C-alpha cells in the first residue's frame, strides 16, 4: 500500500472550497521557513539514489550532488515560451519591479528575457478601499461608486497592459530561489497582484456595461477571462488555484453581460469564436505531477540531509522538541530510515493520484480518490506523539514506513479540494456555452426551447452533460426565462440551490433573468 493519509473533509461549495484551499496553500508555502537560518552541515550524509523512482528527475545536479528541482520546473514550463508570447513580460510593465512590495532579483527578469522595469512608473496601484463584490457581478455607474470610477480613470495604463498581456498565448513565471534554500520557499511574485488587477478589469467592464458601452465591457471581461486561463497554466498549485478563481469570476460577469445585452445570434457566434480561441486551461494533474511532486520531494530530501526538521515539513507532526534529548531522538530516527524507500513510496503515491485525477469522468475520479483515502491511516496527534517515542527503538523498516506515512499525511489530503475547484470552473464554462446557445435561440425564436437537446446541432454541436454526473443538466422554463443547473461537486441534486442561496446548496445554476439570493 502506498503512503497513507487521512480522509479529507467533504466540500459542499466551490466558493468555500476556494477559501479553504487558498488558506491551505498559502500556509503550505511557509513550510521550511525556519530553514532560512543557517544550519551546520550534518555529519550524517543520507544515502539517496538519484533515479526516476526516487528523485523523479535525474538532472541537472546542483553543487551538493542533488537534483536542482527549480531548474527542472523552469525548464519544463519554459518550453515554447518567448519574451514576445509570454504574458508575464507584459504584466510586469503594469506591475513594476515590486508587485508584492519587494524588488524582484535581476535573475527573475533575466529568465523572462526582459529589461528590469524602472523603479518608478505608471504602475498598478491598488486602491486602499475594498473592492465591493457587487461591482464584479452587476452593472454600476459613476454615481454608485464615484471613488472607484476616479480610480479606474487613473489606472488606464496598467489596465491597458493587462488587456495586452491577456492577448498573449503563454504564461511562464520563473521560479527563483536563493542558494540551498528549500524549494517550498520559492517566491511566486505578482500572482495575487495580477488577480487584483484583473478583478479591477472586471469591475471596469461592469462599469462600462452600466454606462451602455457593451462592446468595451465585453472586451474587458474577455481579457480577464483569458488572464484567468493564463494564470491557470502557471507552475504551482497556488498559481493554478488563483487562475481558476479569476476565471470563475470572469464567467459570472460574462453571464451577467449576456443577461443585460441580449445580443443577436450573429453577435453570439462571434463571441463564441472569441471564447474558443482562448488559451487552453492548465491542468492541475500536470502541475501536481511536474511541480508539486518536486517541491515535496525536495523537502523530504532536505529532511534527510538535516537541512529541515520534522516540524518544518510536518508542522502538526511529532513534537520532538517536547521529548527529553529531542535532538538525539530526531537524529536517531532520521539515521535509521531507508530514504530511498521513503522517496519511492511517496512517488508511488504521486503516481497514483496523478492517474486518478486524469480519469475520464468525475465519478471515476471521485471513486478512485475515495479508495486511495480509505487506504490511508488517520494519524491522530496522539498516535504521532506515541510514534515519536516508539520509532526510535523500532527497526529500520518501521521507521521508514512511519516516515512515509507522516510525510504523505501532510500533502495528499488536499488534492481532492484542488481538483474539485478546477472541476467547478470546467462546469461553469459549460454553463456559459449553453447560456450563449440559449441566447442565440431566443434571438431567432423570441422564446426559449423546451429542452436543451433542441440546441443541437444548430446552436451547439453537442449539448454538454453535467460534468459531475455525466447526465443531462436539469433545465426548466420559467415565467420570464429559464433556469438550468449542474449537481455540483457533491454529485447530489440540491434543487438548483447554490452557495448564494438560503439554505445553501452545491449546485452550479444559471438563470435568465439572473436570480437574486434568497
Amino acid at each position: 500500500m502506498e503512503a497513507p493519509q487521512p480522509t479529507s473533509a467533504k466540500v459542499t461549495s466551490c466558493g468555500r472550497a476556494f477559501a479553504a484551499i487558498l488558506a491551505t496553500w498559502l500556509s503550505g508555502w511557509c513550510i521550511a521557513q525556519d530553514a532560512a537560518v543557517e544550519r551546520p552541515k550534518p555529519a550524517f550524509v543520507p544515502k539517496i539514489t538519484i533515479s526516476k523512482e526516487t528523485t523523479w528527475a535525474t538532472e541537472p545536479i546542483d553543487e551538493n550532488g542533488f537534483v536542482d528541482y527549480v531548474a527542472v520546473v523552469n525548464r519544463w514550463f519554459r518550453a515554447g515560451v518567448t519574451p514576445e508570447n509570454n504574458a508575464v513580460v507584459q504584466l510586469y510593465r503594469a506591475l513594476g519591479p515590486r508587485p508584492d512590495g519587494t524588488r524582484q532579483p535581476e535573475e527573475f527578469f533575466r529568465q523572462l528575457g526582459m529589461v528590469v522595469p524602472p523603479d518608478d512608473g505608471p504602475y498598478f496601484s491598488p486602491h486602499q478601499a475594498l473592492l465591493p463584490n457587487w461591482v464584479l457581478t452587476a452593472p454600476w455607474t459613476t454615481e454608485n461608486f464615484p471613488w472607484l470610477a476616479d480610480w479606474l480613470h487613473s489606472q488606464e495604463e496598467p489596465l491597458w497592459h493587462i488587456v495586452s498581456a491577456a492577448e498573449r498565448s503563454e504564461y511562464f513565471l520563473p521560479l527563483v530561489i536563493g542558494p540551498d534554500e528549500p524549494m517550498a520557499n520559492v517566491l511566486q511574485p505578482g500572482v495575487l497582484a495580477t488577480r487584483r488587477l484583473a478583478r479591477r478589469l472586471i469591475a471596469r467592464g461592469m462599469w462600462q456595461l452600466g454606462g451602455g458601452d457593451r462592446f468595451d465591457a465585453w472586451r474587458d471581461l474577455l481579457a480577464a477571462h483569458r488572464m484567468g486561463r493564463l494564470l491557470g497554466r502557471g507552475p504551482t498549485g497556488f498559481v493554478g488555484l488563483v487562475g481558476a478563481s479569476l476565471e470563475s469570476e470572469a464567467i459570472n460577469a460574462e453571464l451577467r453581460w449576456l443577461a443585460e445585452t441580449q445580443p443577436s445570434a450573429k453577435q453570439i457566434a462571434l463571441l463564441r469564436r472569441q471564447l474558443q480561441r482562448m488559451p487552453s486551461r492548465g491542468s492541475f494533474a500536470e502541475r501536481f505531477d511536474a511541480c508539486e511532486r518536486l517541491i515535496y520531494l525536495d523537502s523530504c530530501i532536505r529532511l534527510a540531509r538535516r537541512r529541515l526538521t520534522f516540524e518544518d515539513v510536518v508542522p502538526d507532526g511529532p513534537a520532538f522538541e517536547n521529548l527529553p534529548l529531542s535532538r538525539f531522538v530526531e537524529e536517531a530516527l532520521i539515521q535509521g530510515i531507508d530514504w530511498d524507500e521513503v522517496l519511492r513510496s511517496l512517488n508511488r503515491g504521486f503516481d497514483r493520484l496523478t492517474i486518478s485525477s486524469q480519469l475520464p469522468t468525475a465519478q471515476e475520479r471521485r471513486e478512485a480518490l475515495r479508495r486511495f483515502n480509505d487506504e490511508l491511516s488517520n494519524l491522530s496527534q496522539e498516535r504521532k506523539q506515541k510514534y515519536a517515542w516508539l520509532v526510535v527503538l523500532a527497526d529500520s523498516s518501521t521507521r521508514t514506513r512511519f516516515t512515509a506515512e507522516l510525510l504523505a499525511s501532510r500533502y495528499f489530503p488536499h488534492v481532492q479540494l484542488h481538483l474539485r475547484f478546477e472541476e467547478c470552473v470546467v462546469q461553469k464554462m459549460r454553463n456559459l456555452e449553453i447560456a450563449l446557445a440559449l441566447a442565440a435561440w431566443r434571438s431567432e425564436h423570441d422564446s426559449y426551447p423546451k429542452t436543451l437537446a433542441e440546441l443541437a446541432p444548430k446552436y451547439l454541436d453537442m449539448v454538454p452533460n453535467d460534468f459531475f454526473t455525466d447526465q443531462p443538466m436539469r433545465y426548466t422554463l420559467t415565467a420570464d426565462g429559464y433556469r438550468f443547473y449542474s449537481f455540483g461537486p457533491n454529485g447530489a441534486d440540491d434543487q438548483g440551490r447554490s452557495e448564494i442561496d438560503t439554505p445553501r446548496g452545491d449546485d452550479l445554476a444559471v438563470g435568465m433573468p439572473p436570480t437574486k439570493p434568497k
Side-chain angles (χ1 to χ4, degrees), residues 176-307:
V176 177
I177 200 165
D180 203 30
E181 268 197 272
M183 194 179 176
N185 283 359
V186 72
L187 298 177
Q188 299 170 88
V191 174
L192 293 178
T194 297
R195 180 174 182 255
R196 287 194 293 268
L197 181 55
R199 294 180 91 231
R200 269 64 175 179
L201 200 60
I202 296 175
R204 189 174 74 171
M206 291 290 100
W207 180 36
Q208 292 164 332
L209 187 58
D213 192 352
R214 62 177 183 167
F215 295 110
D216 280 349
W218 176 261
R219 178 205 61 187
D220 281 353
L221 301 183
L222 181 65
H225 195 159
R226 287 181 61 91
M227 186 50 61
R229 283 285 182 93
L230 287 167
L231 272 171
R233 299 172 69 176
T236 67
F238 171 69
V239 181
L241 183 64
V242 173
S245 173
L246 178 57
E247 182 176 3
S248 178
E249 290 180 310
I251 291 173
N252 291 340
E254 287 164 340
L255 286 167
R256 187 56 184 258
W257 182 94
L258 189 61
E260 297 290 333
T261 59
Q262 297 186 355
S264 67
K266 185 176 181 180
Q267 291 169 336
I268 290 171
L270 173 62
L271 304 182
R272 290 185 62 197
R273 287 196 294 272
Q274 291 175 333
L275 290 168
Q276 290 166 356
R277 289 197 296 267
M278 285 198 303
S280 60
R281 184 180 293 106
S283 164
F284 174 75
E286 180 184 12
R287 292 188 296 272
F288 178 73
D289 199 31
C291 184
E292 298 299 331
R293 178 198 296 257
L294 301 188
I295 290 174
Y296 213 61
L297 293 179
D298 177 74
S299 293
C300 294
I301 291 171
R302 290 178 185 277
L303 174 61
R305 295 172 58 204
R306 303 298 290 118
R307 304 312 242 182

Side-chain angles (χ1 to χ4, degrees), residues 212-491:
D213 192 352
R214 62 177 183 167
F215 295 110
D216 280 349
W218 176 261
R219 178 205 61 187
D220 281 353
L221 301 183
L222 181 65
H225 195 159
R226 287 181 61 91
M227 186 50 61
R229 283 285 182 93
L230 287 167
L231 272 171
R233 299 172 69 176
T236 67
F238 171 69
V239 181
L241 183 64
V242 173
S245 173
L246 178 57
E247 182 176 3
S248 178
E249 290 180 310
I251 291 173
N252 291 340
E254 287 164 340
L255 286 167
R256 187 56 184 258
W257 182 94
L258 189 61
E260 297 290 333
T261 59
Q262 297 186 355
S264 67
K266 185 176 181 180
Q267 291 169 336
I268 290 171
L270 173 62
L271 304 182
R272 290 185 62 197
R273 287 196 294 272
Q274 291 175 333
L275 290 168
Q276 290 166 356
R277 289 197 296 267
M278 285 198 303
S280 60
R281 184 180 293 106
S283 164
F284 174 75
E286 180 184 12
R287 292 188 296 272
F288 178 73
D289 199 31
C291 184
E292 298 299 331
R293 178 198 296 257
L294 301 188
I295 290 174
Y296 213 61
L297 293 179
D298 177 74
S299 293
C300 294
I301 291 171
R302 290 178 185 277
L303 174 61
R305 295 172 58 204
R306 303 298 290 118
R307 304 312 242 182
L308 296 177
T309 68
F310 269 97
E311 179 64 21
D312 293 327
V313 181
V314 189
D316 59 345
F320 289 106
E321 68 277 8
N322 296 328
L323 300 178
L325 304 175
S326 60
R327 181 182 296 273
F328 167 79
V329 170
E330 190 162 356
E331 286 285 353
L333 172 60
I334 286 177
Q335 294 187 32
I337 291 171
D338 180 348
W339 286 100
D340 275 358
E341 179 54 33
V342 170
L343 293 171
R344 282 192 293 266
S345 177
L346 290 174
N347 273 308
R348 288 193 295 269
F350 275 99
D351 289 342
R352 182 172 174 183
L353 286 172
T354 299
I355 292 171
S356 298
S357 68
Q358 294 175 316
L359 291 172
T361 69
Q363 299 99 307
E364 290 175 299
R365 284 190 292 276
R366 191 160 48 237
E367 178 60 24
L369 291 171
R370 184 195 64 76
R371 287 198 302 268
F372 186 76
N373 276 339
D374 286 349
E375 296 173 13
L376 302 175
S377 299
N378 183 11
L379 296 178
S380 66
Q381 193 64 38
E382 181 182 358
R383 286 184 65 196
K384 291 175 183 176
Q385 188 60 58
K386 287 181 179 179
Y387 275 143
W389 284 96
L390 297 177
V391 295
V392 177
L393 304 176
D395 58 22
S396 176
S397 175
T398 301
R399 296 180 187 183
T400 299
R401 186 175 64 254
F402 158 72
T403 303
E405 291 177 353
L406 189 64
L407 296 176
S409 73
R410 176 66 180 90
Y411 184 80
F412 291 154
H414 311 304
V415 173
Q416 284 181 300
L417 298 178
H418 285 267
L419 284 174
R420 287 185 179 188
F421 193 81
E422 183 177 275
E423 290 170 348
C424 283
V425 178
V426 173
Q427 180 57 54
K428 283 191 171 185
M429 191 64 200
R430 292 187 179 188
N431 288 354
L432 178 60
E433 293 169 355
I434 292 174
L436 286 167
L438 287 167
W441 177 291
R442 184 185 185 282
S443 172
E444 295 186 342
H445 297 83
D446 198 30
S447 64
Y448 291 111
K450 294 181 180 179
T451 66
L452 293 180
E454 297 175 62
L455 296 172
K458 181 177 180 180
Y459 301 97
L460 284 173
D461 293 336
M462 183 175 64
V463 180
N465 281 338
D466 184 342
F467 181 85
F468 297 101
T469 65
D470 203 30
Q471 299 296 318
M473 278 181 270
R474 298 298 175 88
Y475 169 80
T476 57
L477 293 173
T478 61
D480 52 355
Y482 67 79
R483 184 170 177 80
F484 69 87
Y485 62 91
S486 153
F487 279 14
N490 66 6

Side-chain angles (χ1 to χ4, degrees), residues 126-132 147 200:
H127 197 284
Q128 291 184 348
L130 293 175
L131 189 67
W147 62 267
R200 269 64 175 179

Side-chain angles (χ1 to χ4, degrees), residues 92-105:
Y92 267 81
R93 294 178 179 134
L95 301 175
R98 295 182 174 86
D100 303 316
T102 302
R103 197 175 196 277
Q104 298 311 309

Side-chain angles (χ1 to χ4, degrees), residues 141-152:
T141 65
T142 301
E143 289 71 26
N144 298 132
F145 298 100
W147 62 267
L148 182 54
D150 289 343
W151 181 88
L152 288 171

